[in-house]
Amino acid sequence: MRRKEKRLLQFAGLLIAALLFLPNVGLWSLYRDRVFENSPEIVEGPGGIPQIQGVNVRPQKDAQVGRDGMRRKDWHDYEAIRRDAARSGNGEQGKPFPLTDTDRVDQAYRENGFNIYVSDRISLNRSVADIRHPNCKQKLYGEKLPNTSIIIPFHNEGWSSLLRTVHSVLNRSPPELIAEVILVDDFSDKEHLKGSLEEYMVRLPKVRILRTKKREGLIRTRLLGAAAANGEVITFLDSHCEANINWLPPLLDRIADNRKSIVCPMIDVIDHDNFGYETQAGDAMRGAFDWEMYYKRIPIPSELTKDDSSEPFESPVMAGGLFAVDRKWFWELGGYDTGLEIWGGEQYEISFKVWMCGGRMEDIPCSRVGHIYRKYVPYKVPGGVSLARVFTFGWREDIRVGGPMHTKKVCFDAISHNSPVTLYDCHGLKGNQLWRYRKDKSLYHPISNSCIDSNPTERKVFMNTCDPSVPSQQWLFEKTNTTILETFNRNSN
Ligand code: LR7
Ligand code: MN
């Protein structure tokens, strides 16, 4: 009798709990729906999905099965988005902080190369504007994504800029996708980065702090973090970043799709004076480098953007600091060259390796992370050596065969006039490997004063006296970059 009563009570208790807490059946769902329905800013978005400020408020709860059989879901955290949208105050919504002359003094920039007075007066949880391509708001990503360790190397980073990096990552990532956040201290000597940092991080159980035993530079510091990481993916960030809305799922989704992909978010600019958050000039561009190995951004070729500029696109080289990579693949690539010193060059190393090892590098427009671009480098480089440009290319004013990346280092070569044109390793001595584009003489060899001639019936390439009227000397150029050609012709004349 007693036992029966107990059971009954237990059952009643369970029923009440279910009513209160179970999503979609309980009181909670009634409450939630009411809050959303009464909200004044709700408008109807595409497909009849209710939106606040262009963002869906009611997630597609059920995953959708794509043509490839993959189950995809909406990863937006609408609760967090609403909380962010409601924030107001200094720097909120990524707005510039109203600087006064006292904020602009030299001292404010000295330690970090950006205005730490301003940083200190902006919330560690500040909101940023959702400046993603509108299509990003509708995108679904794999229902099952790999988790990631976030690795943040730092050397004498400012307190508020470092903490804001960590907060923004934790605030704007699905918790189940963050295995851990590893802060790797590269032998900082600032007091705030010691005991206080450790005390602070006690409240964030996912955060671990590692420290190098001597100043190692950013490359070996990252490696230390990567070696300690447990996540399926490792994601590197600089120590002064702010992750934007739903930045992580679009990155992890590409790695889930192809584990040999290294993926980079769009890097936005956090102003070093006023901390305003906005896109880089020209927004989405590809990484490139010149013959002095200076990193550049160049427009994306139109054939790559397809019809939708919110879709991932391939990139020859990354900017360096902000990317995600499958952890095992990173080590299969050999990690970074441990001989790389304090700063720089590592982005080429990893970029070249991924392309050469059958992987790919992509930029992901729907993933955005802000980065504070410093006014100047505040830290000392031991020994005064800057090893940022570890290698340069020499002469290359020849005409090379092969892909646009000049991966094949062979040049047109001809021993003499009337001799066959062959492909030969580029020797860099110009001479009989120097060919010019000339409008009047097609591919022209200046030393022998003759042109490349091709006879299609015999499939032979040979030298011949230049004659623009001969059809076998007329080369079809599918794509010509006239600016580069003009510079080339100017330099070689
Ligand atoms: O000795 C050092 N030890 C470190 O741990 C020097 C630096 N660091 C840390 C530092 O705290 C920061 O987290 O390493 C990170 C990068 O150093 P920064 O912020 O001084 O470099 P940066 O932002 O000027 O430079 C870019 O190029 C670097 C060298 O190639 C790295 O790849 C950076 O990660 C990279 N930053 C980005 O890609 C963000 C976008 C800006 C660009 C380009
Ligand atoms: Mn940086």
Side-chain angles (χ1 to χ4, degrees), residues 153-155 157 186 215 217-218 221-222 238-240 267 319-322 342-347 371 373-374 379:
F154 65 93
H155 175 72
E157 184 60 58
D186 185 14
R215 177 78 181 282
L218 87 91
T221 305
R222 271 189 205 152
D238 273 14
S239 45
H240 33 255
I267 305 171
L322 284 49
I342 304 301
W343 187 95
E346 90 290 353
Q347 72 273 43
H371 169 261
Y373 287 79
R374 307 178 198 271
Y379 44 77

PDB file of all heavy atoms in Angstrom, residues 153-155 157 186 215 217-218 221-222 238-240 267 319-322 342-347 371 373-374 379, ligand 1:
ATOM      1  N   PRO A 153      47.559  32.145 -29.064  1.00  0.00           N
ATOM      2  CA  PRO A 153      48.872  32.489 -28.538  1.00  0.00           C
ATOM      3  C   PRO A 153      48.878  33.955 -28.139  1.00  0.00           C
ATOM      4  O   PRO A 153      48.178  34.758 -28.758  1.00  0.00           O
ATOM      5  CB  PRO A 153      49.800  32.271 -29.737  1.00  0.00           C
ATOM      6  CG  PRO A 153      48.942  32.573 -30.922  1.00  0.00           C
ATOM      7  CD  PRO A 153      47.529  32.193 -30.540  1.00  0.00           C
ATOM      8  N   PHE A 154      49.606  34.289 -27.090  1.00  0.00           N
ATOM      9  CA  PHE A 154      49.686  35.721 -26.767  1.00  0.00           C
ATOM     10  C   PHE A 154      51.032  36.076 -26.164  1.00  0.00           C
ATOM     11  O   PHE A 154      51.652  35.290 -25.459  1.00  0.00           O
ATOM     12  CB  PHE A 154      48.544  36.156 -25.838  1.00  0.00           C
ATOM     13  CG  PHE A 154      48.586  35.535 -24.460  1.00  0.00           C
ATOM     14  CD1 PHE A 154      49.222  36.190 -23.400  1.00  0.00           C
ATOM     15  CD2 PHE A 154      47.976  34.313 -24.209  1.00  0.00           C
ATOM     16  CE1 PHE A 154      49.254  35.627 -22.123  1.00  0.00           C
ATOM     17  CE2 PHE A 154      48.006  33.746 -22.936  1.00  0.00           C
ATOM     18  CZ  PHE A 154      48.646  34.402 -21.887  1.00  0.00           C
ATOM     19  N   HIS A 155      51.491  37.264 -26.475  1.00  0.00           N
ATOM     20  CA  HIS A 155      52.690  37.792 -25.850  1.00  0.00           C
ATOM     21  C   HIS A 155      52.372  39.206 -25.374  1.00  0.00           C
ATOM     22  O   HIS A 155      52.104  40.095 -26.189  1.00  0.00           O
ATOM     23  CB  HIS A 155      53.870  37.807 -26.828  1.00  0.00           C
ATOM     24  CG  HIS A 155      55.095  38.456 -26.261  1.00  0.00           C
ATOM     25  ND1 HIS A 155      55.854  37.844 -25.284  1.00  0.00           N
ATOM     26  CD2 HIS A 155      55.652  39.659 -26.495  1.00  0.00           C
ATOM     27  CE1 HIS A 155      56.850  38.665 -24.951  1.00  0.00           C
ATOM     28  NE2 HIS A 155      56.745  39.767 -25.669  1.00  0.00           N
ATOM     29  N   GLU A 157      49.772  40.555 -24.218  1.00  0.00           N
ATOM     30  CA  GLU A 157      48.514  41.091 -24.725  1.00  0.00           C
ATOM     31  C   GLU A 157      47.814  41.914 -23.624  1.00  0.00           C
ATOM     32  O   GLU A 157      47.968  41.624 -22.436  1.00  0.00           O
ATOM     33  CB  GLU A 157      47.616  39.934 -25.168  1.00  0.00           C
ATOM     34  CG  GLU A 157      46.298  40.341 -25.801  1.00  0.00           C
ATOM     35  CD  GLU A 157      46.466  41.188 -27.053  1.00  0.00           C
ATOM     36  OE1 GLU A 157      47.117  40.726 -27.999  1.00  0.00           O
ATOM     37  OE2 GLU A 157      45.963  42.325 -27.061  1.00  0.00           O
ATOM     38  N   ASP A 186      53.262  33.263 -24.493  1.00  0.00           N
ATOM     39  CA  ASP A 186      54.635  33.240 -24.994  1.00  0.00           C
ATOM     40  C   ASP A 186      55.504  34.128 -24.101  1.00  0.00           C
ATOM     41  O   ASP A 186      55.915  35.215 -24.485  1.00  0.00           O
ATOM     42  CB  ASP A 186      54.670  33.693 -26.458  1.00  0.00           C
ATOM     43  CG  ASP A 186      56.075  33.565 -27.059  1.00  0.00           C
ATOM     44  OD1 ASP A 186      56.923  32.903 -26.443  1.00  0.00           O
ATOM     45  OD2 ASP A 186      56.299  34.142 -28.141  1.00  0.00           O
ATOM     46  N   ARG A 215      60.915  32.843 -24.425  1.00  0.00           N
ATOM     47  CA  ARG A 215      60.238  33.486 -25.546  1.00  0.00           C
ATOM     48  C   ARG A 215      60.448  32.650 -26.810  1.00  0.00           C
ATOM     49  O   ARG A 215      61.574  32.417 -27.237  1.00  0.00           O
ATOM     50  CB  ARG A 215      60.818  34.895 -25.739  1.00  0.00           C
ATOM     51  CG  ARG A 215      60.248  35.654 -26.919  1.00  0.00           C
ATOM     52  CD  ARG A 215      58.893  36.228 -26.609  1.00  0.00           C
ATOM     53  NE  ARG A 215      58.340  36.942 -27.749  1.00  0.00           N
ATOM     54  CZ  ARG A 215      58.698  38.170 -28.118  1.00  0.00           C
ATOM     55  NH1 ARG A 215      59.604  38.842 -27.441  1.00  0.00           N
ATOM     56  NH2 ARG A 215      58.136  38.739 -29.155  1.00  0.00           N
ATOM     57  N   GLY A 217      58.248  32.956 -29.744  1.00  0.00           N
ATOM     58  CA  GLY A 217      57.687  33.506 -30.979  1.00  0.00           C
ATOM     59  C   GLY A 217      56.366  32.826 -31.259  1.00  0.00           C
ATOM     60  O   GLY A 217      56.057  31.766 -30.717  1.00  0.00           O
ATOM     61  N   LEU A 218      55.586  33.450 -32.126  1.00  0.00           N
ATOM     62  CA  LEU A 218      54.201  32.993 -32.273  1.00  0.00           C
ATOM     63  C   LEU A 218      54.077  31.607 -32.879  1.00  0.00           C
ATOM     64  O   LEU A 218      53.136  30.875 -32.577  1.00  0.00           O
ATOM     65  CB  LEU A 218      53.401  34.025 -33.077  1.00  0.00           C
ATOM     66  CG  LEU A 218      53.376  33.948 -34.597  1.00  0.00           C
ATOM     67  CD1 LEU A 218      52.215  33.093 -35.071  1.00  0.00           C
ATOM     68  CD2 LEU A 218      53.212  35.347 -35.152  1.00  0.00           C
ATOM     69  N   THR A 221      54.828  28.926 -30.293  1.00  0.00           N
ATOM     70  CA  THR A 221      53.790  29.062 -29.266  1.00  0.00           C
ATOM     71  C   THR A 221      52.502  28.389 -29.734  1.00  0.00           C
ATOM     72  O   THR A 221      51.852  27.661 -28.982  1.00  0.00           O
ATOM     73  CB  THR A 221      53.558  30.545 -28.945  1.00  0.00           C
ATOM     74  OG1 THR A 221      54.811  31.113 -28.579  1.00  0.00           O
ATOM     75  CG2 THR A 221      52.571  30.728 -27.814  1.00  0.00           C
ATOM     76  N   ARG A 222      52.133  28.622 -30.993  1.00  0.00           N
ATOM     77  CA  ARG A 222      50.958  27.947 -31.549  1.00  0.00           C
ATOM     78  C   ARG A 222      51.143  26.439 -31.525  1.00  0.00           C
ATOM     79  O   ARG A 222      50.204  25.693 -31.233  1.00  0.00           O
ATOM     80  CB  ARG A 222      50.747  28.373 -33.004  1.00  0.00           C
ATOM     81  CG  ARG A 222      49.896  29.584 -33.158  1.00  0.00           C
ATOM     82  CD  ARG A 222      49.573  29.777 -34.633  1.00  0.00           C
ATOM     83  NE  ARG A 222      49.291  31.183 -34.893  1.00  0.00           N
ATOM     84  CZ  ARG A 222      49.499  31.778 -36.051  1.00  0.00           C
ATOM     85  NH1 ARG A 222      50.002  31.107 -37.072  1.00  0.00           N
ATOM     86  NH2 ARG A 222      49.204  33.048 -36.202  1.00  0.00           N
ATOM     87  N   ASP A 238      44.242  35.115 -33.205  1.00  0.00           N
ATOM     88  CA  ASP A 238      45.144  36.057 -32.547  1.00  0.00           C
ATOM     89  C   ASP A 238      44.531  36.436 -31.199  1.00  0.00           C
ATOM     90  O   ASP A 238      43.345  36.223 -30.960  1.00  0.00           O
ATOM     91  CB  ASP A 238      45.322  37.323 -33.407  1.00  0.00           C
ATOM     92  CG  ASP A 238      46.457  37.165 -34.425  1.00  0.00           C
ATOM     93  OD1 ASP A 238      46.911  36.033 -34.642  1.00  0.00           O
ATOM     94  OD2 ASP A 238      46.878  38.195 -34.986  1.00  0.00           O
ATOM     95  N   SER A 239      45.331  37.069 -30.355  1.00  0.00           N
ATOM     96  CA  SER A 239      44.888  37.351 -28.999  1.00  0.00           C
ATOM     97  C   SER A 239      44.065  38.643 -28.873  1.00  0.00           C
ATOM     98  O   SER A 239      43.803  39.115 -27.774  1.00  0.00           O
ATOM     99  CB  SER A 239      46.106  37.405 -28.080  1.00  0.00           C
ATOM    100  OG  SER A 239      47.138  38.171 -28.676  1.00  0.00           O
ATOM    101  N   HIS A 240      43.694  39.229 -30.010  1.00  0.00           N
ATOM    102  CA  HIS A 240      42.888  40.459 -29.988  1.00  0.00           C
ATOM    103  C   HIS A 240      41.860  40.395 -31.102  1.00  0.00           C
ATOM    104  O   HIS A 240      41.948  41.107 -32.095  1.00  0.00           O
ATOM    105  CB  HIS A 240      43.786  41.702 -30.151  1.00  0.00           C
ATOM    106  CG  HIS A 240      44.973  41.399 -31.025  1.00  0.00           C
ATOM    107  ND1 HIS A 240      46.236  41.230 -30.526  1.00  0.00           N
ATOM    108  CD2 HIS A 240      45.067  41.165 -32.353  1.00  0.00           C
ATOM    109  CE1 HIS A 240      47.060  40.918 -31.513  1.00  0.00           C
ATOM    110  NE2 HIS A 240      46.371  40.876 -32.641  1.00  0.00           N
ATOM    111  N   ILE A 267      38.191  38.244 -42.328  1.00  0.00           N
ATOM    112  CA  ILE A 267      38.772  38.988 -41.216  1.00  0.00           C
ATOM    113  C   ILE A 267      38.306  40.438 -41.279  1.00  0.00           C
ATOM    114  O   ILE A 267      38.569  41.144 -42.249  1.00  0.00           O
ATOM    115  CB  ILE A 267      40.307  38.890 -41.230  1.00  0.00           C
ATOM    116  CG1 ILE A 267      40.717  37.405 -41.237  1.00  0.00           C
ATOM    117  CG2 ILE A 267      40.894  39.593 -40.011  1.00  0.00           C
ATOM    118  CD1 ILE A 267      42.188  37.166 -41.470  1.00  0.00           C
ATOM    119  N   ALA A 319      45.867  34.726 -44.535  1.00  0.00           N
ATOM    120  CA  ALA A 319      46.485  35.877 -43.869  1.00  0.00           C
ATOM    121  C   ALA A 319      47.436  35.412 -42.771  1.00  0.00           C
ATOM    122  O   ALA A 319      48.462  36.026 -42.519  1.00  0.00           O
ATOM    123  CB  ALA A 319      45.404  36.773 -43.275  1.00  0.00           C
ATOM    124  N   GLY A 320      47.110  34.296 -42.135  1.00  0.00           N
ATOM    125  CA  GLY A 320      48.051  33.739 -41.170  1.00  0.00           C
ATOM    126  C   GLY A 320      47.459  33.339 -39.849  1.00  0.00           C
ATOM    127  O   GLY A 320      47.626  32.212 -39.393  1.00  0.00           O
ATOM    128  N   GLY A 321      46.744  34.245 -39.208  1.00  0.00           N
ATOM    129  CA  GLY A 321      46.431  34.033 -37.808  1.00  0.00           C
ATOM    130  C   GLY A 321      45.136  33.328 -37.495  1.00  0.00           C
ATOM    131  O   GLY A 321      44.977  32.746 -36.428  1.00  0.00           O
ATOM    132  N   LEU A 322      44.168  33.390 -38.407  1.00  0.00           N
ATOM    133  CA  LEU A 322      42.821  32.959 -38.071  1.00  0.00           C
ATOM    134  C   LEU A 322      42.407  31.836 -39.013  1.00  0.00           C
ATOM    135  O   LEU A 322      42.071  32.085 -40.168  1.00  0.00           O
ATOM    136  CB  LEU A 322      41.845  34.142 -38.205  1.00  0.00           C
ATOM    137  CG  LEU A 322      41.819  35.225 -37.127  1.00  0.00           C
ATOM    138  CD1 LEU A 322      43.172  35.758 -36.764  1.00  0.00           C
ATOM    139  CD2 LEU A 322      40.904  36.359 -37.545  1.00  0.00           C
ATOM    140  N   ILE A 342      60.250  34.316 -34.251  1.00  0.00           N
ATOM    141  CA  ILE A 342      59.251  35.189 -33.633  1.00  0.00           C
ATOM    142  C   ILE A 342      57.950  35.472 -34.411  1.00  0.00           C
ATOM    143  O   ILE A 342      56.867  35.268 -33.896  1.00  0.00           O
ATOM    144  CB  ILE A 342      59.916  36.533 -33.244  1.00  0.00           C
ATOM    145  CG1 ILE A 342      61.109  36.270 -32.318  1.00  0.00           C
ATOM    146  CG2 ILE A 342      58.933  37.465 -32.552  1.00  0.00           C
ATOM    147  CD1 ILE A 342      60.790  35.557 -31.027  1.00  0.00           C
ATOM    148  N   TRP A 343      58.046  35.899 -35.644  1.00  0.00           N
ATOM    149  CA  TRP A 343      56.852  36.413 -36.301  1.00  0.00           C
ATOM    150  C   TRP A 343      56.969  36.281 -37.823  1.00  0.00           C
ATOM    151  O   TRP A 343      58.019  36.597 -38.391  1.00  0.00           O
ATOM    152  CB  TRP A 343      56.705  37.896 -35.926  1.00  0.00           C
ATOM    153  CG  TRP A 343      55.450  38.570 -36.365  1.00  0.00           C
ATOM    154  CD1 TRP A 343      54.311  38.740 -35.623  1.00  0.00           C
ATOM    155  CD2 TRP A 343      55.198  39.193 -37.636  1.00  0.00           C
ATOM    156  NE1 TRP A 343      53.374  39.406 -36.351  1.00  0.00           N
ATOM    157  CE2 TRP A 343      53.888  39.698 -37.599  1.00  0.00           C
ATOM    158  CE3 TRP A 343      55.937  39.363 -38.804  1.00  0.00           C
ATOM    159  CZ2 TRP A 343      53.303  40.367 -38.666  1.00  0.00           C
ATOM    160  CZ3 TRP A 343      55.359  40.026 -39.875  1.00  0.00           C
ATOM    161  CH2 TRP A 343      54.054  40.526 -39.794  1.00  0.00           C
ATOM    162  N   GLY A 344      55.924  35.836 -38.454  1.00  0.00           N
ATOM    163  CA  GLY A 344      55.825  35.957 -39.904  1.00  0.00           C
ATOM    164  C   GLY A 344      56.334  34.789 -40.729  1.00  0.00           C
ATOM    165  O   GLY A 344      57.167  34.005 -40.288  1.00  0.00           O
ATOM    166  N   GLY A 345      55.798  34.704 -41.945  1.00  0.00           N
ATOM    167  CA  GLY A 345      56.248  33.691 -42.901  1.00  0.00           C
ATOM    168  C   GLY A 345      55.509  32.372 -42.786  1.00  0.00           C
ATOM    169  O   GLY A 345      55.423  31.617 -43.748  1.00  0.00           O
ATOM    170  N   GLU A 346      54.952  32.117 -41.609  1.00  0.00           N
ATOM    171  CA  GLU A 346      54.311  30.812 -41.379  1.00  0.00           C
ATOM    172  C   GLU A 346      53.067  30.635 -42.247  1.00  0.00           C
ATOM    173  O   GLU A 346      52.693  29.519 -42.578  1.00  0.00           O
ATOM    174  CB  GLU A 346      54.009  30.639 -39.891  1.00  0.00           C
ATOM    175  CG  GLU A 346      52.651  31.124 -39.386  1.00  0.00           C
ATOM    176  CD  GLU A 346      52.481  32.643 -39.366  1.00  0.00           C
ATOM    177  OE1 GLU A 346      53.452  33.371 -39.612  1.00  0.00           O
ATOM    178  OE2 GLU A 346      51.344  33.091 -39.109  1.00  0.00           O
ATOM    179  N   GLN A 347      52.443  31.736 -42.628  1.00  0.00           N
ATOM    180  CA  GLN A 347      51.232  31.597 -43.446  1.00  0.00           C
ATOM    181  C   GLN A 347      51.560  31.044 -44.826  1.00  0.00           C
ATOM    182  O   GLN A 347      50.763  30.323 -45.419  1.00  0.00           O
ATOM    183  CB  GLN A 347      50.454  32.924 -43.540  1.00  0.00           C
ATOM    184  CG  GLN A 347      51.070  34.005 -44.392  1.00  0.00           C
ATOM    185  CD  GLN A 347      52.049  34.868 -43.621  1.00  0.00           C
ATOM    186  OE1 GLN A 347      52.856  34.373 -42.834  1.00  0.00           O
ATOM    187  NE2 GLN A 347      52.014  36.165 -43.845  1.00  0.00           N
ATOM    188  N   HIS A 371      39.539  41.570 -36.067  1.00  0.00           N
ATOM    189  CA  HIS A 371      40.931  41.541 -35.598  1.00  0.00           C
ATOM    190  C   HIS A 371      41.391  42.985 -35.437  1.00  0.00           C
ATOM    191  O   HIS A 371      41.129  43.818 -36.303  1.00  0.00           O
ATOM    192  CB  HIS A 371      41.801  40.807 -36.634  1.00  0.00           C
ATOM    193  CG  HIS A 371      43.279  40.941 -36.400  1.00  0.00           C
ATOM    194  ND1 HIS A 371      44.068  41.843 -37.084  1.00  0.00           N
ATOM    195  CD2 HIS A 371      44.112  40.290 -35.548  1.00  0.00           C
ATOM    196  CE1 HIS A 371      45.335  41.728 -36.668  1.00  0.00           C
ATOM    197  NE2 HIS A 371      45.378  40.782 -35.738  1.00  0.00           N
ATOM    198  N   TYR A 373      43.906  45.524 -35.956  1.00  0.00           N
ATOM    199  CA  TYR A 373      45.129  45.794 -36.715  1.00  0.00           C
ATOM    200  C   TYR A 373      45.886  46.879 -35.963  1.00  0.00           C
ATOM    201  O   TYR A 373      45.370  47.974 -35.757  1.00  0.00           O
ATOM    202  CB  TYR A 373      44.798  46.254 -38.132  1.00  0.00           C
ATOM    203  CG  TYR A 373      44.297  45.132 -39.006  1.00  0.00           C
ATOM    204  CD1 TYR A 373      42.981  44.685 -38.914  1.00  0.00           C
ATOM    205  CD2 TYR A 373      45.143  44.497 -39.899  1.00  0.00           C
ATOM    206  CE1 TYR A 373      42.520  43.638 -39.701  1.00  0.00           C
ATOM    207  CE2 TYR A 373      44.703  43.454 -40.689  1.00  0.00           C
ATOM    208  CZ  TYR A 373      43.389  43.027 -40.588  1.00  0.00           C
ATOM    209  OH  TYR A 373      42.939  41.990 -41.365  1.00  0.00           O
ATOM    210  N   ARG A 374      47.085  46.560 -35.540  1.00  0.00           N
ATOM    211  CA  ARG A 374      47.812  47.500 -34.694  1.00  0.00           C
ATOM    212  C   ARG A 374      48.315  48.694 -35.487  1.00  0.00           C
ATOM    213  O   ARG A 374      48.520  48.613 -36.696  1.00  0.00           O
ATOM    214  CB  ARG A 374      49.033  46.819 -34.087  1.00  0.00           C
ATOM    215  CG  ARG A 374      48.790  45.530 -33.356  1.00  0.00           C
ATOM    216  CD  ARG A 374      50.147  45.027 -32.898  1.00  0.00           C
ATOM    217  NE  ARG A 374      50.188  43.632 -32.542  1.00  0.00           N
ATOM    218  CZ  ARG A 374      49.946  43.146 -31.336  1.00  0.00           C
ATOM    219  NH1 ARG A 374      49.575  43.962 -30.365  1.00  0.00           N
ATOM    220  NH2 ARG A 374      50.056  41.872 -31.082  1.00  0.00           N
ATOM    221  N   TYR A 379      55.879  44.848 -29.397  1.00  0.00           N
ATOM    222  CA  TYR A 379      56.776  43.957 -28.659  1.00  0.00           C
ATOM    223  C   TYR A 379      58.175  43.937 -29.261  1.00  0.00           C
ATOM    224  O   TYR A 379      58.378  44.259 -30.421  1.00  0.00           O
ATOM    225  CB  TYR A 379      56.223  42.538 -28.568  1.00  0.00           C
ATOM    226  CG  TYR A 379      55.632  41.954 -29.834  1.00  0.00           C
ATOM    227  CD1 TYR A 379      56.440  41.475 -30.850  1.00  0.00           C
ATOM    228  CD2 TYR A 379      54.249  41.879 -30.001  1.00  0.00           C
ATOM    229  CE1 TYR A 379      55.895  40.929 -31.999  1.00  0.00           C
ATOM    230  CE2 TYR A 379      53.689  41.333 -31.147  1.00  0.00           C
ATOM    231  CZ  TYR A 379      54.523  40.864 -32.141  1.00  0.00           C
ATOM    232  OH  TYR A 379      53.977  40.325 -33.274  1.00  0.00           O
TER     233      TYR A 379
HETATM  234  O1  LR7 B   1      56.603  36.711 -30.085  1.00  0.00           O
HETATM  235  C1  LR7 B   1      55.396  36.677 -30.250  1.00  0.00           C
HETATM  236  N1  LR7 B   1      54.665  35.711 -29.607  1.00  0.00           N
HETATM  237  C2  LR7 B   1      53.328  35.604 -29.726  1.00  0.00           C
HETATM  238  O2  LR7 B   1      52.713  34.719 -29.126  1.00  0.00           O
HETATM  239  C3  LR7 B   1      54.706  37.566 -31.089  1.00  0.00           C
HETATM  240  C4  LR7 B   1      53.342  37.465 -31.221  1.00  0.00           C
HETATM  241  N2  LR7 B   1      52.652  36.513 -30.523  1.00  0.00           N
HETATM  242  C5  LR7 B   1      51.207  36.376 -30.663  1.00  0.00           C
HETATM  243  C6  LR7 B   1      50.393  37.642 -30.543  1.00  0.00           C
HETATM  244  O3  LR7 B   1      50.002  37.896 -29.221  1.00  0.00           O
HETATM  245  C7  LR7 B   1      49.224  37.362 -31.454  1.00  0.00           C
HETATM  246  O4  LR7 B   1      48.221  36.617 -30.804  1.00  0.00           O
HETATM  247  O5  LR7 B   1      50.988  35.917 -31.991  1.00  0.00           O
HETATM  248  C8  LR7 B   1      49.820  36.483 -32.539  1.00  0.00           C
HETATM  249  C9  LR7 B   1      50.142  37.245 -33.838  1.00  0.00           C
HETATM  250  O6  LR7 B   1      50.951  38.370 -33.576  1.00  0.00           O
HETATM  251  P1  LR7 B   1      50.499  39.840 -33.992  1.00  0.00           P
HETATM  252  O7  LR7 B   1      49.107  40.068 -33.589  1.00  0.00           O
HETATM  253  O8  LR7 B   1      51.500  40.788 -33.482  1.00  0.00           O
HETATM  254  O9  LR7 B   1      50.616  39.720 -35.575  1.00  0.00           O
HETATM  255  P2  LR7 B   1      49.748  40.492 -36.732  1.00  0.00           P
HETATM  256  O10 LR7 B   1      48.335  40.535 -36.395  1.00  0.00           O
HETATM  257  O11 LR7 B   1      50.403  41.743 -37.044  1.00  0.00           O
HETATM  258  O12 LR7 B   1      50.015  39.557 -37.989  1.00  0.00           O
HETATM  259  C10 LR7 B   1      49.548  38.530 -38.836  1.00  0.00           C
HETATM  260  O13 LR7 B   1      50.749  37.915 -39.289  1.00  0.00           O
HETATM  261  C11 LR7 B   1      51.415  37.174 -38.301  1.00  0.00           C
HETATM  262  C12 LR7 B   1      52.733  36.687 -38.827  1.00  0.00           C
HETATM  263  O14 LR7 B   1      52.638  36.074 -40.056  1.00  0.00           O
HETATM  264  C13 LR7 B   1      50.542  36.048 -37.781  1.00  0.00           C
HETATM  265  O15 LR7 B   1      50.241  35.104 -38.765  1.00  0.00           O
HETATM  266  C14 LR7 B   1      49.281  36.643 -37.239  1.00  0.00           C
HETATM  267  O16 LR7 B   1      48.464  35.633 -36.746  1.00  0.00           O
HETATM  268  C15 LR7 B   1      48.617  37.429 -38.353  1.00  0.00           C
HETATM  269  N3  LR7 B   1      47.336  37.975 -38.001  1.00  0.00           N
HETATM  270  C16 LR7 B   1      46.257  37.708 -38.780  1.00  0.00           C
HETATM  271  O17 LR7 B   1      46.278  36.945 -39.725  1.00  0.00           O
HETATM  272  C17 LR7 B   1      45.015  38.438 -38.429  1.00  0.00           C
HETATM  273  C18 LR7 B   1      44.637  39.277 -39.608  1.00  0.00           C
HETATM  274  C19 LR7 B   1      45.657  40.346 -39.875  1.00  0.00           C
HETATM  275  C20 LR7 B   1      46.513  40.113 -41.015  1.00  0.00           C
HETATM  276  C21 LR7 B   1      47.245  39.912 -41.979  1.00  0.00           C
END
